[in-house]
Amino acid sequence: MGEDDLKEVNVDDELIQQAFQKLLDDYLATKHRKRVEIITKAFNFANQAHKGVRRRSGEPYILHPLAVASIVCNEIGLGSTSICSALLHDVVEDTDYTVEDIENMFGPKIASIVDGLTKISGGIFGDKASAQAENFKKLLLTMNDDIRVILIKIADRLHNMRTLGSMLPNKQYKIAGETLYIYAPLANRLGLYKIKSELENLSFKYEHAEDYRMIEQKLSNTEKERDRLFNEFTTPIREQLDKMGLKYRIMQRVKTVYSIWNKMQSKHVPFEEIYDILAVRIIFEPQQKTSELNDCFSIYVALSQIYKPHPDRLRDWVNHPKANGYQALHVTLMSNSGQWIEVQIRSERMNDVAEQGFAAHWKYKEGGGSEDEGELDKWLQTIKEILNDPQPDAMDFLDTIKLNLFASEIFVFTPKGEIKTMPQNCTVLDFAFSLHTDIGSHCIGAKVNHRLVPLSQKLQSGDQVEILTSKAQRVQQEWEAYVTTAKARSKVASILRKENKLHQSEGEQMVFNFLKEEGLRMESSTLSKLVRFHNLKNPEELFLAVGNKRIVLSDADRNVFKQKKGWKKFLSFPFGGSKLDDSSVVEQTRSVEKINTKQVLKLTEENIKKSYTMAECCHPIPGDDVLGYIDEKNRIVIHKRQCPVAARLKSSYGNRIIATEWDTHKELTFLVTIYLEGIDGLGVLNEVTQIISRQLNVNIRKLTIESNDGIFDGKIQLYVHDSDDVNVICNNLRQVKNIKKVSRVEN
């Protein structure tokens, strides 16, 4: 070993020892039992196991488990068992050691957590969607055994996101997409608000670097103004709280870059029109343990004497905690500058729970104990039910789970006055299934606040709901559109599958009898004629359609077999789709085979025309942040990075994602839609068309404007070269006196 190598080893060792000492110091500062020996033992074991191995970034591999352990300790607040498991989480996967070795050295608890982490290693998602769903099921099943598995997995993902810069661009999009799709919602559901926000921000930073920088810059430019507003707003509040003799601290909470961008996208507004960037957080020490709830409301009463509260924006999460254990009182007050400002009132305990989620409950449980049993158990129970009824399609399975992950709660009352927590946007049918599968499957409607409503009616917080049932009612196909919760969706799908199987076997028997009467055997050639005749995909669809009476076999079907084999058969052959399709697929395959997924694909005018397809779901144009996806037919489809379809593809088929960048020179034109809103007046429409057609020389394809009570809104479809053209058009239209809102929309 040369002198330089020795120096490098010494530097590495020093770096590793510093990181470990910092972890120990942080651990000793917590309220956990001081089990330093076992943590030191786990570190020494992992350090020896990973010796000489480096990460892609060039640093010693052991720094990754140390960083994960540090997140587990400091940001999630877990104890020695979890810290040891985090230090050892890659040992079984990356070295020759087994779970049995870990058990012999560290006991069954740590071994079982490391085993759980090993099972779901390599990211939740494999190369194939089905494998990805299986891995996700494993992940959720391990949650049932020990919630610490998923908490450490989230810490692992957070450190990977913090060091994502050393990965290839296509891997960055896959990992960032996967993080936004699964890990951030999981962190949110487990109450890890800070981690959820950081995961979202980091994903956004890698997927939309320019937008990220732009919003960050604007936040920086408006910081002084925000500080001034914060100080002015909180001065009288501090005076009032001091008079009450409370021990408290007041902080400003600034909306994250990702949530600002999300709001800009969903509301189609610029940064300047987002008014809730600043919120105020009051965190207090309760005067007695039992007075925590009363203190929250006392502070609210004191605030409402200083500023006028918004009557519809009081959120009482104190008496009705969110499903992830979050508690706080949110009130929106009118500041002296004429701006609504949200104030969040929390005790120190509530703040710990908000920052660290279920793990923080341990601090406040008498004699330790495990996680909060209530809502978490309910959630895990729902997931168990879904796992017991496997979905046929991996993507359906993931979407069903995600419905639960993203759930934001409302409170609904039964006729007897019991409170039920339901996800936002849930319907009468969801509520019926949440009570019992039988009630759901026989539901015919409901009385909401004593008024008769249909199954599809969305429920609001505070509604009193009485479900109406009938024994004659059966689950209908259209119910799939009425349900939004994971439980209801999986139940409806399961019942329909069972019914379809029944109809299919009945239909198969009917087709068999029909063919028998015609003296024909039930074989693929005869069935394919009937399938083609009814424009169906396969015999299974035919059996189902016959079984549920959508198709009645008649003389028309008999005539299919009476057609004589003549010249017609041969005439149709060259025009059949199969040969043409096959050749085009072969041609596409050739173009794809040349693509190196590890390199960034240049999108030029020539290859856009010849080889690539612009996705219909999001209509990308040059200048948009985009990525490529190699579909099942080996075609490259270009999607916007924030497109919901692309989000699913990134997290399910990450190996087919290609990093792309535009290299166009304003030769091709693309169709975009601009949305306008404003005050109706003489000549507004004329001015709009003048700007677009004459000043900017852009062709308008379609223009629809509607006026109502002096307000107009409408859409203009026009041809542009790239997103710069769109920005110029939007900026010019915003200069028109009566136009109040201009934005690009999908269609």
Side-chain angles (χ1 to χ4, degrees):
M1 191 181 275
E3 201 175 309
D4 287 348
D5 292 338
L6 279 170
K7 270 186 194 168
E8 199 176 313
V9 168
N10 289 337
V11 169
D12 284 350
D13 285 345
E14 204 175 311
L15 204 64
I16 292 164
Q17 284 305 323
Q18 280 173 357
F20 177 58
Q21 194 52 52
K22 168 100 176 53
L23 172 65
L24 272 189
D25 294 344
D26 291 342
Y27 170 66
L28 288 168
T30 66
K31 294 176 184 171
H32 289 283
R33 288 176 298 161
K34 309 294 181 252
R35 300 181 62 207
V36 175
E37 299 78 19
I38 193 160
I39 293 175
T40 309
K41 185 180 172 186
F43 163 69
N44 288 332
F45 181 69
N47 192 18
Q48 174 263 320
H50 294 299
K51 204 148 202 71
V53 183
R54 294 187 178 275
R55 295 191 87 203
R56 196 182 177 91
S57 57
E59 64 180 22
Y61 194 88
I62 186 64
L63 289 177
H64 168 64
L66 273 167
V68 175
S70 177
I71 293 167
V72 162
C73 174
N74 296 318
E75 298 178 53
I76 306 181
L78 300 175
S80 58
T81 302
S82 302
I83 292 169
C84 290
S85 303
L87 287 169
L88 300 165
H89 80 272
D90 278 334
V91 167
V92 174
E93 190 194 354
D94 294 344
T95 73
D96 294 333
Y97 289 104
T98 64
V99 175
E100 286 72 30
D101 296 332
I102 303 283
E103 185 169 351
N104 291 335
M105 293 186 72
F106 298 97
K109 182 42 78 181
I110 289 173
S112 112
I113 295 174
V114 171
D115 187 34
L117 287 160
T118 307
K119 280 177 185 160
I120 52 171
S121 61
I124 292 177
F125 307 110
D127 286 350
K128 298 184 182 69
S130 58
Q132 156 244 31
E134 283 309 312
N135 270 336
F136 193 48
K137 283 180 191 175
K138 279 184 200 165
L139 175 99
L140 295 167
L141 285 166
T142 57
M143 284 177 70
N144 286 329
D145 299 335
D146 196 322
I147 194 76
R148 286 176 287 195
V149 173
I150 185 61
L151 292 170
I152 298 165
K153 190 67 194 167
I154 287 170
D156 179 38
R157 175 49 59 115
L158 179 58
H159 186 245
N160 283 336
M161 286 303 295
R162 286 173 178 171
T163 55
L164 196 58
S166 56
M167 301 292 277
L168 293 168
N170 65 322
K171 279 276 189 283
Q172 287 178 355
Y173 300 150
K174 171 196 181 301
I175 293 167
E178 197 176 278
T179 300
L180 265 186
Y181 197 70
I182 297 295
Y183 284 94
L186 259 177
N188 186 44
R189 190 56 193 240
L190 296 170
L192 303 168
Y193 181 76
K194 269 175 84 172
I195 289 179
K196 166 239 179 196
S197 300
E198 190 179 345
L199 287 173
E200 287 175 340
N201 258 3
L202 287 168
S203 300
F204 174 54
K205 184 179 181 177
Y206 284 101
E207 294 218 288
H208 302 281
E210 278 181 35
D211 287 350
Y212 185 89
R213 279 195 294 273
M214 176 267 290
I215 294 171
E216 213 173 28
Q217 187 60 51
K218 290 194 172 183
L219 277 175
S220 173
N221 295 344
T222 54
E223 189 176 1
K224 279 185 183 164
E225 178 56 31
R226 265 197 317 278
D227 288 346
R228 187 191 60 74
L229 176 62
F230 173 73
N231 291 329
E232 274 180 20
F233 180 74
T234 55
T235 301
I237 294 176
R238 288 176 196 277
E239 289 170 11
Q240 189 65 33
L241 295 179
D242 288 340
K243 277 184 203 166
M244 293 166 69
L246 279 170
K247 192 178 170 191
Y248 67 90
R249 52 199 174 104
I250 298 184
M251 302 154 64
Q252 57 171 308
R253 187 236 59 189
V254 178
K255 216 174 179 62
T256 64
V257 174
Y258 173 75
S259 56
I260 291 169
W261 178 79
N262 231 353
K263 199 158 192 179
M264 286 165 64
Q265 299 296 310
S266 59
K267 303 267 189 222
H268 299 297
V269 292
F271 176 90
E272 291 68 27
E273 284 182 36
I274 299 205
Y275 298 113
D276 61 344
I277 287 173
L278 174 71
V280 172
R281 195 169 279 163
I282 299 172
I283 302 164
F284 67 93
E285 285 281 5
Q287 290 167 335
Q288 282 117 26
K289 259 192 176 181
T290 51
S291 68
E292 195 180 37
L293 303 189
N294 289 338
D295 288 349
C296 284
F297 284 94
S298 302
I299 293 170
Y300 165 58
V301 171
L303 296 182
S304 62
Q305 287 165 357
I306 306 169
Y307 299 111
K308 198 160 183 59
H310 192 298
D312 299 329
R313 291 210 205 148
L314 176 68
R315 297 281 178 270
D316 177 10
W317 303 114
V318 173
N319 287 308
H320 305 293
K322 288 189 180 184
N324 60 18
Y326 177 85
Q327 275 185 294
L329 191 61
H330 291 196
V331 52
T332 305
L333 304 170
M334 175 58 80
S335 67
N336 294 333
S337 60
Q339 195 173 325
W340 289 110
I341 294 180
E342 185 182 72
V343 179
Q344 301 166 355
I345 304 164
R346 309 170 171 175
S347 68
E348 287 286 358
R349 180 193 67 82
M350 292 173 188
N351 191 57
D352 274 346
V353 172
E355 304 278 280
Q356 296 186 327
F358 285 111
H361 286 281
W362 298 340
K363 284 194 207 173
Y364 300 97
K365 287 221 167 191
E366 295 303 319
S370 61
E371 302 77 37
D372 186 274
E373 283 83 23
E375 289 292 350
L376 181 64
D377 277 356
K378 262 196 254 172
W379 182 54
L380 292 176
Q381 190 52 42
T382 306
I383 286 168
K384 256 185 182 165
E385 287 178 19
I386 296 164
L387 293 173
N388 289 339
D389 178 43
Q391 300 288 312
D393 178 6
M395 289 310 299
D396 285 354
F397 170 75
L398 266 185
D399 285 346
T400 306
I401 293 287
K402 265 174 62 68
L403 288 168
N404 261 37
L405 294 181
F406 275 133
S408 186
E409 291 78 26
I410 60 168
F411 304 108
V412 182
F413 293 91
T414 66
K416 290 180 180 172
E418 285 175 59
I419 286 190
K420 297 276 183 190
T421 307
M422 293 293 293
Q424 221 166 23
N425 294 323
C426 71
T427 61
V428 161
L429 197 51
D430 288 314
F431 184 65
F433 273 103
S434 78
L435 298 173
H436 198 279
T437 305
D438 271 356
I439 296 174
S441 52
H442 294 111
C443 178
I444 53 170
K447 282 185 179 175
V448 173
N449 306 326
H450 310 293
R451 195 169 56 83
L452 203 61
V453 297
L455 300 175
S456 56
Q457 173 81 17
K458 283 191 177 173
L459 299 176
Q460 307 291 324
S461 215
D463 280 347
Q464 188 167 27
V465 187
E466 181 189 348
I467 299 294
L468 306 174
T469 59
S470 160
K471 284 288 175 204
Q473 178 67 296
R474 295 177 67 139
V475 175
Q476 313 291 318
Q477 193 74 45
E478 59 268 22
W479 284 17
E480 291 191 294
Y482 300 161
V483 287
T484 63
T485 58
K487 180 175 180 177
R489 182 166 284 189
S490 69
K491 288 293 175 199
V492 168
S494 172
I495 293 166
L496 284 173
R497 277 202 301 278
K498 280 177 194 159
E499 292 209 345
N500 283 350
K501 272 185 185 165
L502 192 68
H503 287 313
Q504 208 170 302
S505 62
E506 286 173 1
E508 192 171 353
Q509 189 58 47
M510 289 158 81
V511 171
F512 175 79
N513 294 340
F514 171 80
L515 292 173
K516 195 177 174 185
E517 284 171 20
E518 297 303 303
L520 297 162
R521 281 194 306 194
M522 194 153 87
E523 53 195 15
S524 57
S525 57
T526 48
L527 287 175
S528 62
K529 285 181 182 176
L530 287 175
V531 167
R532 273 205 302 275
F533 177 64
H534 290 287
N535 287 325
L536 299 170
K537 287 181 189 166
N538 50 43
E540 286 72 28
E541 276 194 14
L542 175 71
F543 298 150
L544 181 59
V546 171
N548 61 22
K549 312 290 190 290
R550 274 191 298 119
I551 290 176
V552 177
L553 298 170
S554 61
D555 287 343
D557 297 276
R558 290 186 181 91
N559 292 336
V560 170
F561 301 107
K562 287 175 184 169
Q563 284 177 5
K564 289 182 181 170
K565 294 175 185 174
W567 53 272
K568 277 187 187 178
K569 179 183 172 186
F570 298 101
L571 182 69
S572 64
F573 185 74
F575 302 100
S578 61
K579 285 235 163 182
L580 289 172
D581 287 351
D582 287 348
S583 63
S584 65
V585 169
V586 169
E587 189 179 299
Q588 292 290 0
T589 309
R590 281 198 206 105
S591 70
V592 172
E593 276 169 2
K594 293 174 194 166
I595 300 296
N596 180 354
T597 55
K598 291 182 179 177
Q599 289 180 344
V600 177
L601 181 70
K602 297 270 189 197
L603 301 175
T604 63
E605 269 94 354
E606 191 183 346
N607 60 28
I608 288 170
K609 276 192 281 192
K610 281 185 185 172
S611 313
Y612 310 141
T613 309
M614 296 295 141
E616 286 294 314
C617 47
C618 54
H619 302 287
I621 64 171
D624 289 340
D625 289 336
V626 290
L627 50 77
Y629 167 67
I630 304 172
D631 72 4
E632 291 75 15
K633 292 184 179 173
N634 262 338
R635 293 173 304 200
I636 294 177
V637 184
I638 308 300
H639 285 272
K640 280 189 194 172
R641 282 182 215 155
Q642 78 266 30
C643 158
V645 175
R648 295 176 68 186
L649 297 173
K650 279 179 287 194
S651 44
S652 309
Y653 305 100
N655 57 316
R656 297 190 191 176
I657 298 296
I658 307 167
T660 53
E661 63 180 41
W662 298 102
D663 186 17
T664 54
H665 306 92
K666 293 191 182 282
E667 288 175 25
L668 296 178
T669 57
F670 299 82
L671 194 64
V672 296
T673 306
I674 306 284
Y675 173 78
L676 297 171
E677 199 178 279
I679 297 158
D680 205 3
L682 206 61
V684 173
L685 187 59
N686 184 36
E687 211 171 332
V688 167
T689 51
Q690 289 270 5
I691 285 172
I692 294 172
S693 301
R694 297 217 178 147
Q695 285 183 30
L696 303 171
N697 200 22
V698 172
N699 284 332
I700 297 176
R701 182 194 178 200
K702 187 180 177 186
L703 193 151
T704 52
I705 301 269
E706 278 186 27
S707 178
N708 194 9
D709 294 337
I711 303 290
F712 79 85
D713 72 333
K715 289 179 180 177
I716 306 170
Q717 283 189 351
L718 33 87
Y719 290 99
V720 297
H721 297 109
D722 52 31
S723 60
D724 289 344
D725 286 3
V726 176
N727 293 335
V728 169
I729 291 164
C730 290
N731 289 334
N732 283 18
L733 289 174
R734 285 188 190 110
Q735 308 307 315
V736 177
K737 187 183 168 190
N738 283 342
I739 291 181
K740 300 299 176 193
K741 190 174 179 183
V742 182
S743 61
R744 174 182 162 197
V745 292
E746 294 308 340
N747 49 42

